[in-house]
Amino acid sequence: MHVAIFGTGYVGLVSGTCLAEVGHDVVCVDIDQAKIDGLQRGVIPIYEPGLEPMVKANHAAGRLKFTTDAGAAVASAEIVFIAVGTPPDEDGSADLQYVLAVARTIGRHLRAPAIVVDKSTVPVGTADQVRATIAAELESRGVDIDFDVVSNPEFLKEGAAVEDCMRPDRIVLGSREPASIEKLRRLYAPFNRNHDRIVAMDVRSAELTKYAANAMLATKISFMNEIANIAEKVGADVEQVRRGIGSDPRIGWHFIYPGAGYGGSCFPKDVQALARTAAQHSLEPTLLNAVEAVNDRQKAHLFDLFVRHYGAAGVLRGKTVALWGLAFKPNTDDMREASSRRLLQQLWDAGARVRAFDPEARDEARRIFGEREDLVLCDTDDEALQGADALAVITEWKQFRSPDFEFLKRSLRDAVVFDGRNLYEPAEIEAAGIAYWAIGRGRSIRQDRA
Ligand SMILES: NC(=O)c1ccc[n+]([C@@H]2O[C@H](COP(=O)([O-])OP(=O)(O)OC[C@H]3O[C@@H](n4cnc5c(N)ncnc54)[C@H](O)[C@@H]3O)[C@@H](O)[C@H]2O)c1
Ligand SMILES: O=c1ccn([C@@H]2O[C@H](COP(=O)(O)OP(=O)(O)O[C@H]3O[C@H](CO)[C@@H](O)[C@H](O)[C@H]3O)[C@@H](O)[C@H]2O)c(=O)[nH]1
């Protein structure tokens, strides 16, 4: 099928590449000329495992094209995806300016009947706005062309985006037109072979499903972080509690890892936007507000452990902290809303210097922070330890999981590790003579018990 995708970010580029991979003819459209020029030369703007070779192979095969020519892309497509950003507005609601700009562009260039598919995360009612915007453009052109707007929210995770796209656990389609659902069923057939993953519903329910999924996952994380903080106070180990509850299939093992808070481009903004939707309908979003407040506090928790270890924030003045991890999660270079950013700011405010290492996010960190005296971006995890007093771990990259504790002890002047992702066994790391502070375990629980 002939497909156009507006927005060549995490969602648009990955979805477009996966659709081309299974044989569709895909044109990716973006307004960012530099990004499109780069893609045409084989420069992939984001890090996603498995993406680069797939983009190059499909581009070379002629199934995947990149353009800024929106008109030509719309004119030749039977299915047009909207996959542009929906960042938070000042009041937390989703900013729809990019989505509606694409809708206007589609209305201006549509030549033949098509299905417009919204993949961006958008508040309930957006499909109606997109439909009205396209209809107004068609009317002003004096033409009558049949089109439908379908909601098809995306559930891929960064760091596993290609895998999630190729093997989705569900494909949600919201439309009132059975013919549109049927056409998209055929588009997605290669991803839907072994059992039916299509969940068809009305448009508004599909739009809300996306927010419900993210808000549920964020709630699980904030819940566990609250339990971790209680564990600290009562002298329990949250990791043992996690194993104790995850074995109940009604609770499950996923998304119950306590840590330094959730980040990324989705959970923070989507929880806020859903709360905003509730408020706009005179509902008090009590739970959603609490999820956000717990997360905000949790992002500052690792620094609280620094203060407890050193006795006062002022003691950090002149100290050098090695930081392992900058990205908001492993296997990505994305630092949007990353917990590392809060910790960095707190350490800098306290007068500490940071030597940071992240396997993929170094360039992104340089773009965000520029050159500064109190930040050294290192090439390896060992290099970050050179001359450091303490180590903080904030992203659970696999390579941080089994360090040589004897080497850590020799490298760190104050022999102390602050672990924002609970990667180590307290007994094992402490046996090497290292003071170990983690979330809801390690020194933090024993100190509170004492
Ligand atoms: N990142 C994720 O993991 C993820 C997962 C599921 C859903 N989503 C949702 O998908 C949407 C896109 O997210 P993303 O992370 O891919 O965004 P992104 O910021 O990585 O990319 C958006 C792209 O859209 C382009 N763009 C803006 N206006 C345009 C226009 N008028 N025409 C063509 N291109 C235009 C931008 O230049 C940019 O390249 C958001 O609503 C997000 O909430 C994101
Ligand atoms: O048990 C857990 C699981 C995750 N996290 C944190 O939660 C954040 C988000 O992680 P994850 O959900 O894996 O990454 P995203 O790429 O943001 O993906 C989420 O947001 C996307 C955008 O909407 C959705 O498509 C995905 O389904 C949804 O998982 C990260 O900071 C993680 O460190 C925890 O703290 N504890």
Side-chain angles (χ1 to χ4, degrees):
M1 288 189 195
H2 293 279
V3 177
I5 302 191
F6 280 79
T8 313
Y10 285 88
V11 172
L13 181 57
V14 173
S15 310
T17 305
C18 291
L19 286 168
E21 176 77 9
V22 299
H24 295 300
D25 203 355
V26 179
V27 184
C28 288
V29 188
D30 209 289
I31 45 170
D32 184 338
Q33 186 72 53
K35 199 180 252 191
I36 293 297
D37 289 348
L39 280 161
Q40 282 168 346
R41 292 195 314 273
V43 180
I44 315 300
I46 51 171
Y47 173 74
E48 253 326 309
L51 183 62
E52 184 164 347
M54 232 189 213
V55 170
K56 287 182 172 165
N58 285 286
H59 186 51
R63 286 190 298 270
L64 181 62
K65 300 190 185 73
F66 302 104
T67 185
T68 51
D69 185 349
V74 171
S76 61
E78 13 177 353
I79 300 177
V80 182
F81 280 93
I82 304 178
V84 295
T86 45
D89 230 333
E90 268 157 32
D91 67 354
S93 55
D95 179 353
L96 292 178
Q97 62 166 309
Y98 305 104
V99 169
L100 296 178
V102 174
R104 280 193 296 279
T105 304
I106 295 171
R108 268 183 226 131
H109 297 287
L110 207 61
R111 295 275 170 274
I115 300 178
V116 176
V117 185
D118 182 18
K119 234 184 202 318
S120 296
T121 302
V122 290
V124 175
T126 303
D128 292 340
Q129 283 191 61
V130 168
R131 186 187 303 276
T133 306
I134 296 173
E137 290 293 336
L138 293 178
E139 199 183 324
S140 74
R141 283 166 56 198
V143 295
D144 184 15
I145 302 170
D146 209 24
F147 74 95
D148 187 24
V149 179
V150 176
S151 166
N152 170 216
E154 178 55 59
F155 298 99
L156 66 77
K157 301 179 288 299
E158 287 182 28
V162 172
E163 174 68 21
D164 287 348
C165 228
M166 294 305 286
R167 270 173 279 279
D169 44 29
R170 78 284 211 194
I171 299 168
V172 170
L173 298 176
S175 170
R176 55 186 170 198
E177 297 288 342
S180 301
I181 300 283
E182 199 36 49
K183 179 137 187 167
L184 289 174
R185 187 180 275 283
R186 273 188 279 127
L187 178 84
Y188 282 125
F191 307 95
N192 195 32
R193 292 176 74 82
N194 125 22
H195 63 273
D196 192 8
R197 295 167 172 84
I198 305 268
V199 187
M201 56 181 75
D202 67 82
V203 185
R204 285 177 173 246
S205 302
E207 289 172 330
L208 186 56
T209 295
K210 173 66 196 177
Y211 284 102
N214 275 2
M216 169 68 94
L217 295 170
T219 301
K220 287 183 87 173
I221 299 169
S222 277
F223 175 83
M224 277 313 280
N225 283 333
E226 188 144 295
I227 296 293
N229 295 336
I230 295 171
E232 271 177 26
K233 295 290 176 197
V234 300
D237 176 356
V238 73
E239 287 303 318
Q240 296 185 40
V241 176
R242 183 179 63 75
R243 286 194 285 272
I245 63 171
S247 51
D248 182 335
R250 293 169 303 175
I251 295 173
W253 293 111
H254 296 293
F255 279 75
I256 56 169
Y257 288 92
Y262 60 74
S265 66
C266 295
F267 288 174
K269 88 167 165 61
D270 292 348
V271 169
Q272 256 185 44
L274 185 56
R276 199 65 209 122
T277 298
Q280 280 161 357
H281 290 83
S282 306
L283 286 170
E284 174 67 28
T286 314
L287 183 59
L288 298 172
N289 287 342
V291 168
E292 204 191 342
V294 168
N295 194 55
D296 191 56
R297 195 179 57 208
Q298 198 66 16
K299 282 183 163 178
H301 192 62
L302 205 57
F303 185 76
D304 292 344
L305 298 181
F306 269 86
V307 175
R308 280 168 60 185
H309 179 77
Y310 284 107
V315 181
L316 284 162
R317 181 159 300 284
K319 295 257 179 215
T320 299
V321 176
L323 179 63
W324 282 358
L326 290 163
F328 83 96
K329 63 184 269 192
N331 299 320
T332 180
D333 56 355
D334 196 342
M335 286 183 62
R336 288 180 282 185
E337 303 281 336
S339 303
S340 63
R341 297 173 75 152
R342 177 78 70 86
L343 180 64
L344 278 166
Q345 199 53 57
Q346 289 175 301
L347 289 169
W348 289 332
D349 289 347
R353 302 160 73 87
V354 178
R355 296 175 62 80
F357 167 71
D358 187 285
E360 291 297 335
R362 201 170 69 149
D363 292 346
E364 181 61 0
R366 185 166 294 121
R367 189 187 67 77
I368 294 168
F369 302 119
E371 294 295 328
R372 29 186 313 161
E373 276 204 341
D374 46 11
L375 177 65
V376 179
L377 295 168
C378 300
D379 287 333
T380 65
D381 39 10
D382 283 357
E383 192 191 325
L385 299 173
Q386 285 167 21
D389 296 291
L391 168 67
V393 186
I394 200 125
T395 315
E396 65 277 31
W397 284 93
K398 278 206 178 73
Q399 71 185 84
F400 301 154
R401 284 176 186 267
S402 311
D404 176 344
F405 292 140
E406 300 297 332
F407 178 70
L408 275 187
K409 161 92 170 97
R410 285 197 304 278
S411 305
L412 300 170
R413 275 196 289 256
D414 295 342
V416 56
V417 170
F418 300 91
D419 180 357
R421 299 293 168 191
N422 289 359
L423 298 187
Y424 313 125
E425 269 314 309
E428 207 185 320
I429 184 167
E430 285 171 353
I434 295 171
Y436 180 59
W437 295 84
I439 307 295
R441 67 183 336 214
R443 217 158 246 251
S444 53
I445 62 170
R446 289 195 307 277
Q447 268 224 342
D448 272 331
R449 195 167 27 185

